[in-house]
Amino acid sequence: MSAMPQYIQGWEKIWHYALRVFVGLVLFYLVFPILVIIPLSFNASPFFTFTKEMLAFDPDGYSLEWYYDFFNDLNWQAAVKNSAIITVSATLLATFLGTLAALGLAKSYLPYRRVLMALLISPMIVPLIISAAAMYFFYTNIRLQGTYLGVILAHTALATPFVVITVTATLSGFDHSLIRAAASLGANSTTIFFRIIVPIILPGVIAGALFAFITSFDEVVVIYFVGSYQQHTIPWQMFSGIRERISPTILAVATMLIIVSMLLLCTLECIRRRNERMRRGQL
Amino acid sequence: MESVAQQEQVIDGATLKLRFRRAERRKRYGALLPVLPLLLFIIITFLFPVGEMLLRSIDNKKVPNVLQMSAPLLQQWDASGDALPDDAVYEALLQDFVAGAKDKTITAVGQRLNYEVSGVSSLFRKTARRAKKIEWADAAEAREAMLKIDAKWADVNIWRGIQRFSSATTAGYFLAATDYRYNPAVQEYQKNPEGIYISLFGRTLFISLVITLLTLLLGYPVSFLLSNLPSKAANLLIIFVLLPFWTSLLVRTTSWIVLLQKEGVINDTLVALGIVGDGNRLEIIHNQTGTIVAMTHILLPFMILPLYSVMKTISPYHMRAARSLGANAFTAFRRVYFPQTIPGIGAGVILVFILAIGYYITPELVGGAEGTFISNRIAYHVRSSLNWGLAAALGAMLLVVVLVLYWCYDKIVGVDNMKLG
Amino acid sequence: MKLMKNKTKLTTITAVLVAGSLLAQPLVNAAENIDLTIVSWGGAYTTSQQKAYHEPYMEKNSGVKITNDDSSNEAVARLRAMKEAGNVTWDLVDVVAADALRLCDEGLAREMDFDKELAKGNDGSSATKDFGDLLVNECFIPQIVYSTTFGYRTDVPEWNGAQPTSIKDVFDLKKFPGKRSLEKRPVNNLEWALLADGVPADKIYDVLSTEAGVKQAFAKLDTIKDDVIWWSAGADTPQRLADGQVVIGSTYNGRLFSVIEEEKQPVAMLWDWQVFDLDGWIVPAGLSADREAAVLDYLKFATDTQRLADQAKYISYGPARKSSAPLVGKHATLGIDMAPHMPTDPKNAKTTLLYNFEWWADNRDEMDQRFQAWLSQ
C-alpha cells in the first residue's frame, strides 16, 4: 500500500495522506516526551524547561552539573549498587525457574496445563498494589521484610511470568521431529539437550531474561513495600525524589536510563532478526 | 482387537492397555517435574500471601481474642431493646480491660471498633488507663466503676457497636468499601452519604476506560499503517513504539511532569507563542488531565503491539478483492478488514484496561486530588491509616474486576498466545 | 590419673577464660562494634540530627556506627508489622507525638524511666522537670517543638502593599488574591477554617464534634477551594512559594526558615494560630539487651541540654528542654540569632493551638474520608 494503487483518487488521496500525518503525530507523541528529557538534562540552570541560552545554543546554557551531582551523590551511588544486586539476582533466578518450568509447560500432554499456566503467570495479572501489600505482610512474617533476600525473591516472583511466556512461545514453534531425528542418529539425551534444545530456546531465554531484567529494574511499588531504604534502587530514588522535590539530577538519571533501554531494544531487535533468519532457514 | 488383548493378558498377567496407560501417565506427570519448582515458589511466595492478605478483609479475630470474657456474654444480650447489658457483662468487659491494658492489646481493639463507631478509640484508651487502678467487689460495682470512668458506657449504641463487631469474622470492611456504615441507633447498615469508595471505583473505571479508548483511537491507525508498509519501513517505525515500551515507567512519568507542569515545556511554549497569557498558564498536571495524558502515552504500546501482530496476518488481497468486486474503500474496510482485526482490538483493549485500573505510580505522581485511583487509596490504607482490613476489602474488589477481565482475555486471545514485545 | 589431669586442665582453662572475659568485659563494651539504625524524617531534619547528635556521639564512641533510615512517615505501620513478625530491626525511631501515643498504647514502644535514663538538665533539674508537660506519655522523649504555620510572599502587586496578619487573611481572597498551598489532609485545615470563621480557639473541638461544625469548617474551606493547590510533602509549599506558584502556604516552620533565611526568597512568616506539635524519640519495644543498652547510652547523650540546643543551630525548631532555651545560639553557617525564629519565642507564640491527639485519634478516619470526598467533589 506504500505505492498508491491506481484506483485511489479524489478524497481517498486525502485520506491516504491524512492517515500518514495522523500516524506521524502519534509516533511523535510516543517518542517526543522521552527525547525531550535528554537536552534538558544538560541545562545549566535548575529549571525543567528550555532556557533562552539553550535555545540560542549558547554553550553557557549547557553543563554537566547534574551528571556530576549524580556521580558524587552517595544516595545515588547506593541506588546503582542496589539496583545491580537486586536486578541481576532476580533476573538469574527468574530465568532459571521460568525456563525450567517452560520446558514442562511446552509439552501439550502436560496435565492441567491451562490451570498451571494461569497460576504461574498470576503475578503478572494481579494488580501491583495488591501483590505489594500481600508480599509486605508475608515477608514481614518470615522476617525478610527490609532485606535483600526478601526483595530479590519478591522480584523473582514478579519476573518469572515473562520468562515463562517467552520461552514457552519459543518452544511451541519447536519441531519435535528434530529430537526424534537426532535420537535416531544415535545422540543421547544430554547431547540432544545441549546441541538441539538449547540453541533453539536460547533466543527465547535471552528475551525472557531481558523482560525479567526490565521488570525487576523498573519495579518500584513492590520494593517500596517489601524493602526498606537500605535496599533503595534507582527507580525508588527517582520516585521519592519526584515526590519530595524534583531536581534536575533526576533528568540526568532519566537520560542514562533511556540509553540503557535503547541498548536493550537493540539487543532484542538482533535476537528477533536472528530468529526470523532461522525460521526462514527452516522453511 | 479384544482377543489380542486377552491373549496378552494371559501371557503377561497384566493388560497392555494398563501398562500403556501407566507409561502414558508417567510421561504426563513426568512433564510436571520441571514445572514443580516454580509452581511451589509462586504458590508459597505469591498466591498464599495474596490469599492471606485478602482474608484480612473479613478477619476480626483480634476483637474476640482480647474481649475473651465479655464477647461471648455480649452475644447473649438482646440489642434490639433499649436496655443496657447486665452487670455481669460490665464486669466481664472490665476484666478484659484490665488484662488488655496489661498486655497492651486493648487499644488496638478500640481502634478497630472506631472504624465502625466513632469515639470508641478514646473511650477504650481512657477506660484501659483507669481500669488498671480499679478494684471492685461485685458486678454492680464494676458497672458503677465503668460508668464513672466515662458516661458513654451508658450509651446503648456503643454496646450495640461492640456486639455487632465482636465475632471472629466481619463484613464491616466490605461494607465500608461499598460505602455502607452500621448505624447502631437503628441497628442497620445504611448508605454512608460521605462514602468515597463507590465513586472512586467509578472514577478508576471511567478514567481507565477513557485511556483505553484513547489508546485504541491512536493505536489503530498506527498499527494499520505499519502492517501495510513494506517490512523494512515498518521495522524502522516500530522502534518508535518499542522505545517507550522499553523505557522505565519512572522516566516516562518524569517526562510528563517536565512537559506538563506550570513552568514546564508545554506551558512555556504556549506562552512564548502567545497562545496563552503568562498569568493563565494551563493546569494540565496534578489532575485528571495529567493522569489521562501520561497514562495514555505509557499504555499505548500495549495497544499497538497486539493490534499490529493481528493486522500483519491479514492478507491485503482480501481488501483488493472486495474493491474489485465494487465495494468502495470505506465499505471494504468496514465489511472485510475491520472484522478481521476484532480479536486484536479485544486483546489490546482488555490488556490496556487491566493494566490501567491497577496503576499506582503514575496517578500518584501526576494525578493530584482528582486523578488518583483505587490503588492509591489501598496504598494509603496499608501504609498511612493502617486500616489493613479495609485495604484488603478494596483490594479484593479490584482483584475480582481484574480476574473477570482476565478470564475474558483468556477466552478471546488465550493465555498461551500472549506475546510480548 | 590421666582423666583427672585432663579434668584439672579443663577447669583451669575455664577459670582463665571466665576471668579473662570478666576482665575484658568493660573493654569489650567500650570498643564494641555496634551498628545502630536510627529512623528519622530525612532531608534537612536528619541532617540537623546528624550534625548535632550522631557525629559528636560517634566521635566519642568509635565503635558505634549510626545508619540513618528515612522511614519515620510510616513508623507505626512498620513497627506494627515488625512486632507481628517478632523481628525488630530498628533501634531508635523519630516520631511525632500522635504516633508515639499510638505506639505506646499498643506496646510497640518501650516505656522509659525518664529521671533514671535521661540526663539531668544543666541547671541540675530532673529530666521530668526539665521537659515538663511535653512528656505526653511514658514512651516518648521529645526533642523539638515544631509548628505548622503559614508563609506568604512579600512582593504580590495585587495586595497593594498589604500583608496578611491573621488567619482570616488566608481565607480572604478579596484582600489577598492568589493561590494558596494547603496540606492534603483534614488535620489543621479544619481547625484553621473554624478559627477564620470566628470560632473561639477553646471551642474548636467541641464544634468539630458536631455535624454542623464539620459542615461549617468545610463550608469555610469551600470559599477558597478553587484557589488551593494541595501539598503532601513538606518541601512542596516552600518550593511553590519560591517559584511564585502560590502566594500563601502552610508548612512546617523550619522549612519556611530555610526559604526565608537560607534561600533569601521574598517570603515572610505569618505566625497567627500556628499549630504546635512535638517530635521526639521512641525506643522500639523488644530490643535485645545489648542493643537496648547501646541505644539508651546514645539517647542519654543526644537528649541532654547542650545537644538539644545544638540542633537549633541547624534547623529552626524549638528545643524541648526548658534548660536548652538559653543556650540556643546562632545558626551554624548563617550566623544569625536563632531565638527569634523559634516557634516558641513569645513574639511568635501569641496565638497558638496545640494539636489535639485525642480528638484526632477518634475522628481521623472519618474526617479523612469526608475530606477526600470533599476534595473530589
Side-chain angles (χ1 to χ4, degrees), chain B residues 123-144:
Chain B
L123 178 64
F124 266 54
R125 190 178 302 115
K126 191 171 167 191
T127 311
R129 223 178 308 148
R130 307 262 183 92
K132 282 188 265 190
K133 297 160 202 153
I134 289 179
E135 286 189 3
W136 68 94
D138 55 25
E141 260 181 52
R143 175 201 172 96
E144 280 308 306

PDB file of all heavy atoms in Angstrom, chain B residues 123-144:
ATOM      1  N   LEU B 123     -12.514   6.218  74.064  1.00  0.00           N
ATOM      2  CA  LEU B 123     -13.234   5.581  75.179  1.00  0.00           C
ATOM      3  C   LEU B 123     -12.441   4.381  75.686  1.00  0.00           C
ATOM      4  O   LEU B 123     -12.272   4.187  76.890  1.00  0.00           O
ATOM      5  CB  LEU B 123     -14.625   5.153  74.713  1.00  0.00           C
ATOM      6  CG  LEU B 123     -15.493   4.433  75.744  1.00  0.00           C
ATOM      7  CD1 LEU B 123     -15.827   5.335  76.905  1.00  0.00           C
ATOM      8  CD2 LEU B 123     -16.767   3.902  75.102  1.00  0.00           C
ATOM      9  N   PHE B 124     -11.933   3.593  74.748  1.00  0.00           N
ATOM     10  CA  PHE B 124     -11.161   2.403  75.129  1.00  0.00           C
ATOM     11  C   PHE B 124      -9.841   2.810  75.783  1.00  0.00           C
ATOM     12  O   PHE B 124      -9.425   2.212  76.762  1.00  0.00           O
ATOM     13  CB  PHE B 124     -10.890   1.516  73.899  1.00  0.00           C
ATOM     14  CG  PHE B 124     -11.904   0.425  73.726  1.00  0.00           C
ATOM     15  CD1 PHE B 124     -13.252   0.730  73.674  1.00  0.00           C
ATOM     16  CD2 PHE B 124     -11.516  -0.902  73.632  1.00  0.00           C
ATOM     17  CE1 PHE B 124     -14.196  -0.268  73.521  1.00  0.00           C
ATOM     18  CE2 PHE B 124     -12.458  -1.913  73.477  1.00  0.00           C
ATOM     19  CZ  PHE B 124     -13.798  -1.601  73.414  1.00  0.00           C
ATOM     20  N   ARG B 125      -9.187   3.824  75.215  1.00  0.00           N
ATOM     21  CA  ARG B 125      -7.889   4.214  75.757  1.00  0.00           C
ATOM     22  C   ARG B 125      -8.055   4.735  77.196  1.00  0.00           C
ATOM     23  O   ARG B 125      -7.312   4.368  78.094  1.00  0.00           O
ATOM     24  CB  ARG B 125      -7.224   5.271  74.882  1.00  0.00           C
ATOM     25  CG  ARG B 125      -5.774   5.503  75.293  1.00  0.00           C
ATOM     26  CD  ARG B 125      -5.040   6.508  74.434  1.00  0.00           C
ATOM     27  NE  ARG B 125      -5.046   6.115  73.030  1.00  0.00           N
ATOM     28  CZ  ARG B 125      -5.653   6.803  72.084  1.00  0.00           C
ATOM     29  NH1 ARG B 125      -6.283   7.911  72.380  1.00  0.00           N
ATOM     30  NH2 ARG B 125      -5.619   6.400  70.846  1.00  0.00           N
ATOM     31  N   LYS B 126      -9.088   5.567  77.365  1.00  0.00           N
ATOM     32  CA  LYS B 126      -9.352   6.158  78.667  1.00  0.00           C
ATOM     33  C   LYS B 126      -9.701   5.066  79.680  1.00  0.00           C
ATOM     34  O   LYS B 126      -9.149   5.014  80.783  1.00  0.00           O
ATOM     35  CB  LYS B 126     -10.539   7.114  78.496  1.00  0.00           C
ATOM     36  CG  LYS B 126     -10.821   8.017  79.665  1.00  0.00           C
ATOM     37  CD  LYS B 126     -11.880   9.021  79.206  1.00  0.00           C
ATOM     38  CE  LYS B 126     -12.484   9.768  80.361  1.00  0.00           C
ATOM     39  NZ  LYS B 126     -13.678  10.525  79.907  1.00  0.00           N
ATOM     40  N   THR B 127     -10.595   4.175  79.292  1.00  0.00           N
ATOM     41  CA  THR B 127     -11.020   3.118  80.209  1.00  0.00           C
ATOM     42  C   THR B 127      -9.843   2.211  80.570  1.00  0.00           C
ATOM     43  O   THR B 127      -9.676   1.838  81.733  1.00  0.00           O
ATOM     44  CB  THR B 127     -12.148   2.291  79.572  1.00  0.00           C
ATOM     45  OG1 THR B 127     -13.137   3.186  79.072  1.00  0.00           O
ATOM     46  CG2 THR B 127     -12.773   1.351  80.581  1.00  0.00           C
ATOM     47  N   ALA B 128      -9.011   1.889  79.560  1.00  0.00           N
ATOM     48  CA  ALA B 128      -7.874   0.996  79.817  1.00  0.00           C
ATOM     49  C   ALA B 128      -6.916   1.628  80.812  1.00  0.00           C
ATOM     50  O   ALA B 128      -6.395   0.962  81.699  1.00  0.00           O
ATOM     51  CB  ALA B 128      -7.155   0.684  78.511  1.00  0.00           C
ATOM     52  N   ARG B 129      -6.695   2.936  80.666  1.00  0.00           N
ATOM     53  CA  ARG B 129      -5.745   3.616  81.541  1.00  0.00           C
ATOM     54  C   ARG B 129      -6.227   3.574  82.995  1.00  0.00           C
ATOM     55  O   ARG B 129      -5.463   3.351  83.913  1.00  0.00           O
ATOM     56  CB  ARG B 129      -5.585   5.064  81.086  1.00  0.00           C
ATOM     57  CG  ARG B 129      -4.127   5.534  81.100  1.00  0.00           C
ATOM     58  CD  ARG B 129      -4.015   6.954  80.607  1.00  0.00           C
ATOM     59  NE  ARG B 129      -4.686   7.130  79.315  1.00  0.00           N
ATOM     60  CZ  ARG B 129      -5.280   8.261  78.939  1.00  0.00           C
ATOM     61  NH1 ARG B 129      -5.306   9.294  79.720  1.00  0.00           N
ATOM     62  NH2 ARG B 129      -5.854   8.354  77.750  1.00  0.00           N
ATOM     63  N   ARG B 130      -7.545   3.760  83.165  1.00  0.00           N
ATOM     64  CA  ARG B 130      -8.079   3.809  84.533  1.00  0.00           C
ATOM     65  C   ARG B 130      -8.306   2.409  85.086  1.00  0.00           C
ATOM     66  O   ARG B 130      -8.239   2.206  86.293  1.00  0.00           O
ATOM     67  CB  ARG B 130      -9.415   4.558  84.547  1.00  0.00           C
ATOM     68  CG  ARG B 130      -9.359   5.922  83.905  1.00  0.00           C
ATOM     69  CD  ARG B 130      -9.193   7.012  84.951  1.00  0.00           C
ATOM     70  NE  ARG B 130      -9.219   8.312  84.309  1.00  0.00           N
ATOM     71  CZ  ARG B 130     -10.342   9.026  84.148  1.00  0.00           C
ATOM     72  NH1 ARG B 130     -11.488   8.574  84.600  1.00  0.00           N
ATOM     73  NH2 ARG B 130     -10.285  10.206  83.564  1.00  0.00           N
ATOM     74  N   ALA B 131      -8.609   1.457  84.199  1.00  0.00           N
ATOM     75  CA  ALA B 131      -9.010   0.119  84.665  1.00  0.00           C
ATOM     76  C   ALA B 131      -7.923  -0.517  85.506  1.00  0.00           C
ATOM     77  O   ALA B 131      -8.203  -1.271  86.436  1.00  0.00           O
ATOM     78  CB  ALA B 131      -9.337  -0.767  83.466  1.00  0.00           C
ATOM     79  N   LYS B 132      -6.669  -0.191  85.199  1.00  0.00           N
ATOM     80  CA  LYS B 132      -5.543  -0.792  85.917  1.00  0.00           C
ATOM     81  C   LYS B 132      -5.630  -0.516  87.416  1.00  0.00           C
ATOM     82  O   LYS B 132      -5.169  -1.301  88.218  1.00  0.00           O
ATOM     83  CB  LYS B 132      -4.224  -0.230  85.371  1.00  0.00           C
ATOM     84  CG  LYS B 132      -3.801  -0.863  84.048  1.00  0.00           C
ATOM     85  CD  LYS B 132      -2.400  -0.410  83.653  1.00  0.00           C
ATOM     86  CE  LYS B 132      -2.462   0.772  82.710  1.00  0.00           C
ATOM     87  NZ  LYS B 132      -1.188   1.135  82.087  1.00  0.00           N
ATOM     88  N   LYS B 133      -6.210   0.651  87.743  1.00  0.00           N
ATOM     89  CA  LYS B 133      -6.176   1.073  89.153  1.00  0.00           C
ATOM     90  C   LYS B 133      -7.477   0.770  89.897  1.00  0.00           C
ATOM     91  O   LYS B 133      -7.628   1.121  91.052  1.00  0.00           O
ATOM     92  CB  LYS B 133      -5.903   2.579  89.233  1.00  0.00           C
ATOM     93  CG  LYS B 133      -4.549   2.952  88.656  1.00  0.00           C
ATOM     94  CD  LYS B 133      -4.502   4.434  88.305  1.00  0.00           C
ATOM     95  CE  LYS B 133      -3.430   4.715  87.285  1.00  0.00           C
ATOM     96  NZ  LYS B 133      -3.732   5.894  86.476  1.00  0.00           N
ATOM     97  N   ILE B 134      -8.417   0.159  89.194  1.00  0.00           N
ATOM     98  CA  ILE B 134      -9.736  -0.021  89.811  1.00  0.00           C
ATOM     99  C   ILE B 134      -9.834  -1.357  90.534  1.00  0.00           C
ATOM    100  O   ILE B 134      -9.314  -2.365  90.065  1.00  0.00           O
ATOM    101  CB  ILE B 134     -10.839   0.057  88.736  1.00  0.00           C
ATOM    102  CG1 ILE B 134     -10.961   1.494  88.255  1.00  0.00           C
ATOM    103  CG2 ILE B 134     -12.177  -0.428  89.282  1.00  0.00           C
ATOM    104  CD1 ILE B 134     -11.979   1.659  87.191  1.00  0.00           C
ATOM    105  N   GLU B 135     -10.492  -1.336  91.687  1.00  0.00           N
ATOM    106  CA  GLU B 135     -10.801  -2.593  92.347  1.00  0.00           C
ATOM    107  C   GLU B 135     -12.299  -2.632  92.571  1.00  0.00           C
ATOM    108  O   GLU B 135     -12.918  -1.609  92.850  1.00  0.00           O
ATOM    109  CB  GLU B 135     -10.050  -2.685  93.669  1.00  0.00           C
ATOM    110  CG  GLU B 135      -8.583  -2.949  93.412  1.00  0.00           C
ATOM    111  CD  GLU B 135      -7.806  -3.256  94.671  1.00  0.00           C
ATOM    112  OE1 GLU B 135      -8.431  -3.324  95.744  1.00  0.00           O
ATOM    113  OE2 GLU B 135      -6.590  -3.435  94.551  1.00  0.00           O
ATOM    114  N   TRP B 136     -12.856  -3.796  92.447  1.00  0.00           N
ATOM    115  CA  TRP B 136     -14.296  -3.887  92.626  1.00  0.00           C
ATOM    116  C   TRP B 136     -14.644  -5.213  93.291  1.00  0.00           C
ATOM    117  O   TRP B 136     -13.898  -6.197  93.173  1.00  0.00           O
ATOM    118  CB  TRP B 136     -15.029  -3.714  91.301  1.00  0.00           C
ATOM    119  CG  TRP B 136     -14.816  -4.843  90.343  1.00  0.00           C
ATOM    120  CD1 TRP B 136     -15.620  -5.927  90.199  1.00  0.00           C
ATOM    121  CD2 TRP B 136     -13.738  -4.992  89.418  1.00  0.00           C
ATOM    122  NE1 TRP B 136     -15.110  -6.759  89.234  1.00  0.00           N
ATOM    123  CE2 TRP B 136     -13.964  -6.200  88.736  1.00  0.00           C
ATOM    124  CE3 TRP B 136     -12.619  -4.218  89.086  1.00  0.00           C
ATOM    125  CZ2 TRP B 136     -13.099  -6.671  87.754  1.00  0.00           C
ATOM    126  CZ3 TRP B 136     -11.767  -4.685  88.105  1.00  0.00           C
ATOM    127  CH2 TRP B 136     -12.011  -5.891  87.455  1.00  0.00           C
ATOM    128  N   ALA B 137     -15.794  -5.211  93.993  1.00  0.00           N
ATOM    129  CA  ALA B 137     -16.179  -6.401  94.749  1.00  0.00           C
ATOM    130  C   ALA B 137     -17.139  -7.279  93.953  1.00  0.00           C
ATOM    131  O   ALA B 137     -16.989  -8.487  93.872  1.00  0.00           O
ATOM    132  CB  ALA B 137     -16.818  -5.994  96.072  1.00  0.00           C
ATOM    133  N   ASP B 138     -18.141  -6.640  93.322  1.00  0.00           N
ATOM    134  CA  ASP B 138     -19.090  -7.458  92.561  1.00  0.00           C
ATOM    135  C   ASP B 138     -19.441  -6.773  91.245  1.00  0.00           C
ATOM    136  O   ASP B 138     -18.962  -5.678  90.945  1.00  0.00           O
ATOM    137  CB  ASP B 138     -20.350  -7.735  93.399  1.00  0.00           C
ATOM    138  CG  ASP B 138     -20.973  -6.435  93.880  1.00  0.00           C
ATOM    139  OD1 ASP B 138     -20.751  -5.400  93.209  1.00  0.00           O
ATOM    140  OD2 ASP B 138     -21.662  -6.435  94.913  1.00  0.00           O
ATOM    141  N   ALA B 139     -20.310  -7.410  90.506  1.00  0.00           N
ATOM    142  CA  ALA B 139     -20.641  -6.937  89.163  1.00  0.00           C
ATOM    143  C   ALA B 139     -21.238  -5.534  89.188  1.00  0.00           C
ATOM    144  O   ALA B 139     -20.929  -4.698  88.338  1.00  0.00           O
ATOM    145  CB  ALA B 139     -21.604  -7.921  88.499  1.00  0.00           C
ATOM    146  N   ALA B 140     -22.077  -5.297  90.191  1.00  0.00           N
ATOM    147  CA  ALA B 140     -22.719  -3.982  90.261  1.00  0.00           C
ATOM    148  C   ALA B 140     -21.673  -2.891  90.452  1.00  0.00           C
ATOM    149  O   ALA B 140     -21.741  -1.826  89.824  1.00  0.00           O
ATOM    150  CB  ALA B 140     -23.737  -3.957  91.400  1.00  0.00           C
ATOM    151  N   GLU B 141     -20.669  -3.182  91.266  1.00  0.00           N
ATOM    152  CA  GLU B 141     -19.609  -2.202  91.475  1.00  0.00           C
ATOM    153  C   GLU B 141     -18.792  -1.989  90.211  1.00  0.00           C
ATOM    154  O   GLU B 141     -18.374  -0.868  89.910  1.00  0.00           O
ATOM    155  CB  GLU B 141     -18.685  -2.669  92.615  1.00  0.00           C
ATOM    156  CG  GLU B 141     -18.973  -1.995  93.936  1.00  0.00           C
ATOM    157  CD  GLU B 141     -18.011  -2.474  95.004  1.00  0.00           C
ATOM    158  OE1 GLU B 141     -16.789  -2.431  94.774  1.00  0.00           O
ATOM    159  OE2 GLU B 141     -18.501  -2.926  96.066  1.00  0.00           O
ATOM    160  N   ALA B 142     -18.580  -3.068  89.510  1.00  0.00           N
ATOM    161  CA  ALA B 142     -17.824  -2.974  88.249  1.00  0.00           C
ATOM    162  C   ALA B 142     -18.545  -2.040  87.282  1.00  0.00           C
ATOM    163  O   ALA B 142     -17.940  -1.187  86.629  1.00  0.00           O
ATOM    164  CB  ALA B 142     -17.668  -4.364  87.633  1.00  0.00           C
ATOM    165  N   ARG B 143     -19.851  -2.194  87.241  1.00  0.00           N
ATOM    166  CA  ARG B 143     -20.656  -1.353  86.352  1.00  0.00           C
ATOM    167  C   ARG B 143     -20.555   0.112  86.786  1.00  0.00           C
ATOM    168  O   ARG B 143     -20.336   1.006  85.949  1.00  0.00           O
ATOM    169  CB  ARG B 143     -22.098  -1.841  86.417  1.00  0.00           C
ATOM    170  CG  ARG B 143     -23.073  -1.018  85.653  1.00  0.00           C
ATOM    171  CD  ARG B 143     -24.478  -1.266  86.210  1.00  0.00           C
ATOM    172  NE  ARG B 143     -25.399  -0.351  85.629  1.00  0.00           N
ATOM    173  CZ  ARG B 143     -26.160  -0.656  84.575  1.00  0.00           C
ATOM    174  NH1 ARG B 143     -26.115  -1.849  84.048  1.00  0.00           N
ATOM    175  NH2 ARG B 143     -26.968   0.237  84.063  1.00  0.00           N
ATOM    176  N   GLU B 144     -20.691   0.320  88.081  1.00  0.00           N
ATOM    177  CA  GLU B 144     -20.566   1.685  88.605  1.00  0.00           C
ATOM    178  C   GLU B 144     -19.230   2.299  88.206  1.00  0.00           C
ATOM    179  O   GLU B 144     -19.143   3.433  87.734  1.00  0.00           O
ATOM    180  CB  GLU B 144     -20.672   1.666  90.150  1.00  0.00           C
ATOM    181  CG  GLU B 144     -22.086   1.569  90.670  1.00  0.00           C
ATOM    182  CD  GLU B 144     -22.974   2.635  90.063  1.00  0.00           C
ATOM    183  OE1 GLU B 144     -22.618   3.830  90.158  1.00  0.00           O
ATOM    184  OE2 GLU B 144     -24.019   2.284  89.436  1.00  0.00           O
TER     185      GLU B 144
END
